[in-house]
Amino acid sequence: MAEEKSLNFIEEIVEEDLKSGKYKEIVTRFPPEPNGYLHMGHAKSICLNFGLTEKYGGYTNLRFDDTNPVKEDVEYVDSIKEDVQWLGFQWKNEYYASDYFEQLYNFAVSLIKKGLAYVDDSTAEEIASGKGTPTTPGTNSPYRDRTIEENLRLFQEMRDGKYKDGEKVLRAKIDMAAINMHMRDPLMYRIKHAHHHRTGDKWCIYPMYDFAHGQSDSIEDITHSVCTLEFVPHRELYDWFIKSLEIFPSHQYEFARLNMTYTMMSKRKLLQLVNDGVVDGWDDPRMPTISALRRRGFTPESIREFCNRIGVAKRDNLIDVGLLEFCAREHLNRITDRRMVVFDPIKVVITDFPEGKTEWMEGENNPEVETLTFRKIPFTREIYIEREDFMEDAPSKYFRMTPGKMVRLKSAYIVNCDSVEKDADGNITQVNCSLLPDSKSGGENANIKVKGTIHWVSIEHAKKAELRLYDRLFTEANLDDAPGEFKDYLNLHSLDIIPDAYIEPSLLDAKDDDHFQFIRKGYFVLDRKHSSSEKLVFNRTVTLKDSWAKELKKGE
RNA sequence: UGCCCGAUAGUAUAAUGGUAGUACGACAGUUUUUGGUACUGUUUGUCUAGGUUCGAAUCCUGGUCGGGCAACCA
């Protein structure tokens, strides 16, 4: 039974349009500019655009908005395609705004012929000052009243490469006194003698966003062109071009972009982090990019669930990054196999367990699935446990190993902690325990109530692996409001590498991108970039919830 | 100080003139061979002042606060 979920405002519009018969099917598009990697903000847009046509029928195009050759690159095209598909969406058509350059040129010519566009020789500065301000009207350019014939000729010459960058532009002839600044004779074309990643050197004039985006939508019969709030003032111009050109009337709808706590979502600033070497590339697991989240171990399911939960509205928002972590835990808890890994070892000797003996325990892979499966875990006289799981003088609420108390070794025996050995400096070198008879899993005494259960690995069988523990990249929750530079708030401890953690041997079978829960520690994924047959590297996706840590914090 | 958009628990998001609900968080508890998971309970909200109405989070008006708009960027 599907749960009745309320609609967001865009779904309401779509339902109305379908109900009224305005459209038989809807068409949306995801229109990235290939000038950087996709991040969580794009994921929200992707889920919205593809989600709409998944839900209501129709289809979604992937369209690269590649109208600015100096910033764009095929590297970005490739990564964008990979990320969209990885999220689980498939576009109907792969299009490029650059595929429409010829048609857009013809559109421009038709506007010139209608007397609705003109070539302007003014400099950038002159045009800027001619725009006026939001409270004072602009002034007409001295070139505004050129004849149609002259405009036609000059525009052709612009295309033919007769002019240098910046020498001339094509402008729409609207109203220099318009209240909406975007209507004050906006630029349609500028000259850029630059190599384009797809059209090469064929063009030296390139359309501006406003004269490419809406027209591309129209060419593709996009019914609902969904974008973010900063484009609201562009909508009047979007509609003006479509109306003046008398082409298919796509409509633009705007929603609030995603902001997350402790997260930088500006492509430009992310590029800065990459270029300055603050992070190790766009897919550094601390980045908010899709490729980074993938490497970090987030699943597409968890990202889509997150996008579902945050909703779509027009109000500015700042989503707690904890919600993304919640979605990751929720999914990973269901799908991951459990393994035991000791991060910071302390040696424990089971004094009454025979030397040289290996007992193979049955460990549950995942208690959350219906049909349980098991793996073999070797148990021996000498094991490692987590240093923080032993305490010599423990408070009453401490449920782990402490002298005189019993604790359960996960999937193995209950042991009693008998004594501690120290070196000359008083450092603990070894803890001695004895077994509680028949307390092995399934044994007679196995169901005895013991407060704590801890994880362990057999010293003889343990293998080594590198663990990378990530923390948030920034120390400030709301980077937009924080004074100063965003780089002032970099978290210097966002990456903590444990070069030699001790892993149970079954982990040797891990393959690229395999997810695990390291019991009591967190969710990890085998890093495809840094792992080799000699050295396994695991990235921590997210910790487990830790109510003991919370308890400790309270005491502070 | 022109125009545009917005304002509901800590954070998001519903309620579309008729009981202010949900999720995450926080807090308390139950269960547990993960101090995990699951489950239960508690907590906290309609920016403000008027108006319309039998009845307003919702409609109207004024105000306040937040965001956006003057790139040959998208």
Side-chain angles (χ1 to χ4, degrees), chain A residues 48-110:
Chain A
L48 214 205
N49 276 298
F50 283 91
L52 243 22
T53 52
E54 245 175 30
K55 182 171 178 180
Y56 294 106
Y59 59 89
T60 302
N61 291 337
L62 174 63
R63 183 177 70 237
F64 291 94
D65 226 334
D66 54 350
T67 57
N68 187 0
V70 299
K71 287 188 176 174
E72 295 151 9
D73 196 282
V74 282
E75 175 199 352
Y76 299 126
V77 171
D78 295 340
S79 75
I80 288 167
K81 285 158 65 175
E82 183 187 0
D83 289 347
V84 173
Q85 283 176 319
W86 179 75
L87 279 174
F89 296 107
Q90 187 53 57
W91 51 88
K92 169 108 178 269
N93 303 108
E94 177 183 333
Y95 288 141
Y96 295 79
S98 53
D99 293 341
Y100 309 137
F101 280 174
E102 192 65 44
Q103 191 162 0
L104 292 171
Y105 180 85
N106 291 331
F107 281 158
V109 167
S110 85

Side-chain angles (χ1 to χ4, degrees), chain A residues 528-540:
Chain A
R528 56 158 89 177
K529 197 158 171 175
H530 294 300
S531 285
S532 64
S533 50
E534 297 87 56
K535 189 175 88 173
L536 295 181
V537 177
F538 291 95
N539 290 324
R540 184 173 70 194

Side-chain angles (χ1 to χ4, degrees), chain A residues 152-163:
Chain A
L152 251 14
R153 177 178 57 81
L154 292 172
F155 187 48
Q156 177 69 47
E157 287 175 355
M158 280 170 65
R159 174 180 183 165
D160 292 343
K162 214 173 159 188
Y163 306 109

